[in-house]
Amino acid sequence: IFMAQDLSVVIPVHNEAPNIDQLYRELHQILSSSGHDYELVFVDDGSNDTTLDQLKKLRATDSHIKIIRFRRNFGQTAAFAAGFAYASGSVIVTMDGDLQNDPADIPRLIARLEDGYDVVCGWRRPRHDAWLTRRLPSMIANWLISWSTGVRLHDYGCSLKVFRAEVVKALKLYGEMHRFIPVLASELGVRIHETVVNHRPRLWGRSKYGLSRSVRVVLDLITVKFLVSYSTRPLQIFGLLGLLMGGSGFLVTSWLVYVKVFGNQDIGDRPLLLFGILLIFTGVQFGTLGLLAELQARTYRESQDKPTYAIREIID
């Protein structure tokens, strides 16, 4: 599966100056003995310490290093997207720059690609993070993502992953969606595998993650679920909601009409009447929104000549 420039390691870094030299030494030792031609794509995500200076010094002595410097801090998802765009390898590895991912795991993950998988995800065991602020929210998020998307992984938050380049280069990443790459890739019909990897305690610097990220993960999960399940048929979700709400409103108002006609009861001052009318109008609005979303989906795909299918191979 490997070609001339066959392996690209994409590493977003933000104020990781104390970790850069050791990370480079470990990567160089592992990859130089792997037998693969490789490149190290460091994405400097708006660092304001000496991270960039250290990367430039390393680049002066090693042509395997490629540096992408952002004008400001855009976040890890944007850093991965830039790394994917400028990576030249047929296999792309992603990892954090804080030394918690172990470069020694990379050859083992790549070997799983050679077994026929398209995406191989790391599963950090055991984790060396705070239980309340990191591990517990991660466990909840992993369960929620797996349950709602059907792509069952134990550790969506692990950055150590290996991809075939054609899988990730076709993806458009926004928000905090880097953790959902396996889910987005699943829409293409790829084969996904998860492998236990080493997780090391953080020695220098501080984590950029906290409980505040949990809310953004949930919001992005809603977006991802829609993109994966209904992006080509939005009317099926909005139309279903419209039918449920409109149908409920019709039943409520029909019962009130029956009470008025056959029971001779006054219904003009009943809150239930307003509720039934609200349900009907909301149902109509959802149906209309679904039709507009159908038009948007067709405009999006046809304007980019974006197919609704993904071909693995053609045998002629």
Side-chain angles (χ1 to χ4, degrees):
I1 64 174
F2 300 106
M3 295 184 294
Q5 181 68 56
D6 58 15
L7 181 63
S8 297
V9 183
V10 177
I11 313 162
V13 289
H14 176 67
N15 294 340
E16 298 289 359
N19 300 313
I20 293 297
D21 287 340
Q22 182 177 340
L23 177 61
Y24 166 74
R25 287 196 301 270
E26 292 186 18
L27 284 169
H28 177 71
Q29 179 182 359
I30 295 297
L31 297 178
S32 61
S33 61
S34 67
H36 301 306
D37 192 11
Y38 70 93
E39 64 177 0
L40 304 177
V41 184
F42 287 94
V43 184
D44 180 20
D45 188 18
S47 298
N48 51 28
D49 62 357
T50 61
T51 296
L52 181 63
D53 294 332
Q54 290 180 258
L55 290 175
K56 287 182 176 179
K57 289 179 182 178
L58 293 173
R59 176 68 180 85
T61 61
D62 189 345
S63 60
H64 290 101
I65 294 177
K66 180 185 294 184
I67 303 171
I68 301 172
R69 182 187 182 189
F70 282 173
R71 292 183 179 272
R72 63 172 177 82
N73 179 248
F74 285 94
Q76 195 171 20
T77 297
F80 278 132
F84 296 157
Y86 287 93
S88 55
S90 59
V91 170
I92 296 178
V93 179
T94 61
M95 65 183 301
D96 287 328
D98 56 10
L99 292 175
Q100 289 196 269
N101 294 143
D102 190 348
D105 288 319
I106 293 176
R108 189 160 50 85
L109 296 181
I110 294 175
R112 301 303 293 168
L113 277 190
E114 296 171 337
D115 292 336
Y117 294 102
D118 303 294
V119 178
V120 181
C121 306
W123 175 11
R124 296 167 291 183
R125 293 185 67 190
R127 284 193 62 175
H128 296 281
D129 289 319
W131 188 85
L132 182 61
T133 59
R134 296 291 305 278
R135 290 162 59 190
L136 179 60
S138 178
M139 290 168 57
I140 296 173
N142 290 327
W143 175 84
L144 184 61
I145 297 170
S146 295
W147 172 78
S148 60
T149 64
V151 181
R152 303 195 178 277
L153 298 176
H154 296 88
D155 192 359
Y156 273 92
C158 181
S159 293
L160 185 56
K161 297 181 175 72
V162 178
F163 309 91
R164 296 182 189 273
E166 65 268 19
V167 172
V168 290
K169 284 183 175 289
L171 302 179
K172 303 297 182 183
L173 303 178
Y174 305 93
E176 300 283 334
M177 288 191 181
H178 63 276
R179 71 184 70 249
F180 298 108
I181 291 177
V183 178
L184 295 172
S186 70
E187 187 182 14
L188 303 175
V190 301
R191 296 185 64 197
I192 302 173
H193 181 72
E194 189 174 39
T195 298
V196 173
V197 296
N198 184 30
H199 188 240
R200 305 184 293 192
R202 187 178 179 99
L203 300 177
W204 309 102
R206 61 184 182 85
S207 173
K208 283 77 175 178
Y209 293 89
L211 287 173
S212 61
R213 292 262 180 140
S214 301
V215 176
R216 284 179 278 180
V217 170
V218 172
L219 294 176
D220 278 331
L221 175 58
I222 297 173
T223 302
V224 169
K225 176 62 178 176
F226 177 79
L227 291 175
V228 171
S229 301
Y230 299 103
S231 63
T232 59
R233 45 194 176 97
L235 185 59
Q236 292 191 17
I237 181 64
F238 291 113
L240 178 60
L241 291 173
L243 287 175
L244 290 175
M245 300 189 74
S248 300
F250 177 77
L251 292 175
V252 169
T253 53
S254 296
W255 182 78
L256 290 174
V257 169
Y258 174 82
V259 170
K260 173 67 175 178
V261 173
F262 296 98
N264 199 27
Q265 298 181 25
D266 187 15
I267 62 172
D269 58 350
R270 291 192 179 188
L272 192 59
L273 177 62
L274 294 177
F275 181 62
I277 295 173
L278 176 63
L279 286 175
I280 292 175
F281 275 97
T282 304
V284 172
Q285 287 181 322
F286 269 115
T288 304
L289 183 61
L291 291 173
L292 292 175
E294 287 280 343
L295 292 175
Q296 289 274 29
R298 281 156 174 71
T299 300
Y300 165 70
R301 292 188 175 274
E302 292 175 11
S303 64
Q304 301 183 65
D305 196 22
K306 190 179 181 66
T308 57
Y309 54 84
I311 297 174
R312 183 180 296 272
E313 62 179 332
I314 297 175
I315 303 174
D316 189 355

